[in-house]
């Protein structure tokens, strides 16, 4: 197996990824990105060596399964958008929202029906395809995803729920790109649920771009539960204009190894982001999560909160970067990175970094890596709880500071259920 760093991609992958009748601007962008792949370097995730991971082991002969997984899709009534692999199996936006100009569709349909609008935002602001080798691969080989556009002044009370399934029942490439555009003065919430069916070894490349225009507000929540045989790369980026706000709440509960870039660029004056992540690592799983907020605008504010739990022989690395650019007067950058160790054989690290190039700012950070609080365990066990149950309650309390900010009760329950499943593994190994 060639490493991710040196592997050459077969040109047939480029032709396979193209959408039917895609416009010239997109084909040209794919080609430009393809030509840069071998020139660009891989992004650095401090203290995580992922170069031997099969992130570029794309199937040149794909064998997709076309039967719908009814056991997975039955409980998705409240989802407005559901895709399995490259196929869209549900797209059901309320008529009252479409009447207001809201667009929700799969990426292929968006490129066909809204090409001019898409060309203004796709790889233009939040993510640039020439940034590194992984972003170039995503631009060249994008073969699915979703597009959500909320026009100026539109407020949506109920969350927009997206279910996107990696189909690993056969060999099928999953290069998924979701673009969310919040028009000026719009307010809405989005939930993205990512999961895997099947047990074939397939890489997953997942990108989310959110462009928040002036005075818009987006609450974005994610529940990531990709499979054990999936090596995943996530790239979630926000581009915030004047007085815009994005609140991110992400549960990274994959069973396979993961590297992720979670970034927000506070381009506008008075822009604001809250970036919150919880992660659990089990078995021999390796996860490296980089979260960065860059303050460009004056009086902008960015806060990072990351909490993670490690079991068995797993690895979890949190890298947090707060960066204030010269000229961002009155800005704020705060971060907190905390890791809880449930196994002496696990490896965890929390690395906060502040890069400040302006005087009139407020910035700070906190980090810790430690074990379960023995006093808390003793107290709970003195009330009759077993050690395993007491430990799980402490962990839930440790992660609860992030979970409480998920806007949908069903999603909070799903995330707790997934955590319980992973934590029950630790109980069985005591």
């Amino acid at each position: 197996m060639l490493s991710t760093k040196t592997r050459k991609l077969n040109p047939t992958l480029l032709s396979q990824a193209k959408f039917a009748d895609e416009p010239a601007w997109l084909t040209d962008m794919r080609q430009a990105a393809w030509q840069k792949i071998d020139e660009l370097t891989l992004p650095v995730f401090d203290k995580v060596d992922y170069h031997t991971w099969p992130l570029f082991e794309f199937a040149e002969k794909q064998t997709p399964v076309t039967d719908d997984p009814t056991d997975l899709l039955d409980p998705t009534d409240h989802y407005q958008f559901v895709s399995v692999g490259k196929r869209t199996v549900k797209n059901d936006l309320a008529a009252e929202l479409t009447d207001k100009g809201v667009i929700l569709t799969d990426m292929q349909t968006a490129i066909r029906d809204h090409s001019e609008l898409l060309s203004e935002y796709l790889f233009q602001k939040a993510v640039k395809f020439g940034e590194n080798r992984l972003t170039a691969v995503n631009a060249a080989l994008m073969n699915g995803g979703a597009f959500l556009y909320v026009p100026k002044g539109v407020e949506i009370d109920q969350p927009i729920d997206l279910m996107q399934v990696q189909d690993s029942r056969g060999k099928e490439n999953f290069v998924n790109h979701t673009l969310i555009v919040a028009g000026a003065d719009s307010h809405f919430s989005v939930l993205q649920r990512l999961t895997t069916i099947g047990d074939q070894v397939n890489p997953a490349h997942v990108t989310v771009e959110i462009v928040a225009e002036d005075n818009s507000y987006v609450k974005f929540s994610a529940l990531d539960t990709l499979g054990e045989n999936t090596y995943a790369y996530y790239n979630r980026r926000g581009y915030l204009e004047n007085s815009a706000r994005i609140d991110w709440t992400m549960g990274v509960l994959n069973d396979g190894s993961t590297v992720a870039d979670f970034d927000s660029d506070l381009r506008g004056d008075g822009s604001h982001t809250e970036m919150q992540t919880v992660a659990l690592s089990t078995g021999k799983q390796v996860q490296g999560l980089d979260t960065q907020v860059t303050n460009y605008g004056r009086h902008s504010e960015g806060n990072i909160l990351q909490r993670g739990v490690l079991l068995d022989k797993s690895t979890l690395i949190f890298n947090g970067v707060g960066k204030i650019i010269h000229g961002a007067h009155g800005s704020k950058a705060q971060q907190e990175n905390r890791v809880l160790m449930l196994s002496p054989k696990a490896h965890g690290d929390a690395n906060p970094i502040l890069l400040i190039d302006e005087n009139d700012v407020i910035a700070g950070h906190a980090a810790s890596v430690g074990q379960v609080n023995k006093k808390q365990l003793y107290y709970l066990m003195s009330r009759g709880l077993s050690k395993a149950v007491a430990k799980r309650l402490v962990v839930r309390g440790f992660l609860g500071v992030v979970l409480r900010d998920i806007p949908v009760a069903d999603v909070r329950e799903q995330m707790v259920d997934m955590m319980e499943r992973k934590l029950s593994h630790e109980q069985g190994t005591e």
Side-chain angles (χ1 to χ4, degrees), residues 142-184:
M142 174 183 64
N143 63 1
F147 175 51
L148 172 63
Y149 175 76
V150 180
K152 179 179 179 179
V154 173
E155 297 188 15
I156 302 175
D157 295 330
Q158 297 300 315
I160 304 294
D161 292 348
L162 315 175
M163 167 77 85
Q164 294 164 309
V165 181
Q166 179 197 28
D167 194 346
S168 287
R169 295 174 295 176
K171 299 299 291 184
E172 183 174 68
N173 298 329
F174 189 72
V175 186
N176 190 277
H177 196 107
T178 296
L179 172 62
I180 299 169
V181 179

Side-chain angles (χ1 to χ4, degrees), residues 193-257:
R193 171 77 191 273
L194 284 158
T195 192
T196 302
I197 54 170
D199 56 8
Q200 290 282 336
V201 178
N202 285 316
H205 290 240
V206 177
T207 297
V208 176
E209 294 186 83
I210 303 180
V211 179
E213 297 183 339
D214 293 352
N215 202 42
S216 61
Y217 179 29
V218 181
K219 288 180 71 74
F220 178 89
S221 303
L223 176 54
D224 301 329
T225 58
L226 295 178
E228 183 177 0
N229 292 328
T230 296
Y231 287 82
Y233 165 66
Y234 287 87
N235 187 1
R236 291 190 173 118
R237 301 288 183 93
Y239 182 99
L240 294 84
E241 299 180 355
N242 291 326
S243 299
R245 176 166 176 160
I246 302 176
D247 288 349
W248 306 80
T249 306
M250 293 167 284
V252 184
L253 305 177
N254 302 312
D255 289 328
S257 292

Side-chain angles (χ1 to χ4, degrees), residues 69-221:
T70 55
D71 56 332
L72 176 67
L73 299 180
D74 284 345
T76 61
D77 290 344
H78 65 285
Y79 286 89
Q80 287 91 348
F81 180 89
V82 180
S83 62
V84 178
K86 294 183 287 187
R87 295 182 300 112
T88 301
V89 299
K90 182 179 181 181
N91 192 0
D92 186 19
L93 191 66
E96 63 184 73
L97 295 181
T98 57
D99 290 344
K100 293 179 179 179
V102 178
I103 299 169
L104 175 62
T105 188
D106 61 88
M107 188 58 71
Q108 179 169 344
T109 302
I111 287 167
R112 183 190 67 206
D113 295 347
H114 309 284
S115 175
E116 185 175 350
L117 180 61
L118 220 69
S119 66
E120 294 180 29
Y121 299 100
L122 188 66
F123 289 104
Q124 298 301 311
K125 294 188 175 184
V127 179
K128 301 294 180 64
F129 70 77
E131 181 179 339
N132 58 61
R133 195 176 190 207
L134 289 172
T135 56
V137 166
N138 185 265
L141 302 184
M142 174 183 64
N143 63 1
F147 175 51
L148 172 63
Y149 175 76
V150 180
K152 179 179 179 179
V154 173
E155 297 188 15
I156 302 175
D157 295 330
Q158 297 300 315
I160 304 294
D161 292 348
L162 315 175
M163 167 77 85
Q164 294 164 309
V165 181
Q166 179 197 28
D167 194 346
S168 287
R169 295 174 295 176
K171 299 299 291 184
E172 183 174 68
N173 298 329
F174 189 72
V175 186
N176 190 277
H177 196 107
T178 296
L179 172 62
I180 299 169
V181 179
D185 300 301
S186 64
H187 291 199
F188 59 94
S189 299
V190 180
L191 164 69
Q192 182 186 46
R193 171 77 191 273
L194 284 158
T195 192
T196 302
I197 54 170
D199 56 8
Q200 290 282 336
V201 178
N202 285 316
H205 290 240
V206 177
T207 297
V208 176
E209 294 186 83
I210 303 180
V211 179
E213 297 183 339
D214 293 352
N215 202 42
S216 61
Y217 179 29
V218 181
K219 288 180 71 74
F220 178 89
S221 303

Side-chain angles (χ1 to χ4, degrees), residues 37-68:
I37 288 174
D38 291 335
E39 303 172 8
L40 295 168
T41 59
L42 290 166
V44 175
F45 295 90
D46 285 345
K47 301 186 180 182
V48 178
D49 183 3
Y50 66 100
H51 296 120
T52 60
W53 295 9
L55 282 174
F56 292 168
E57 294 286 340
F58 296 111
E60 295 169 10
K61 293 183 179 180
Q62 300 184 59
T63 58
V65 178
T66 57
D67 295 337
D68 288 337

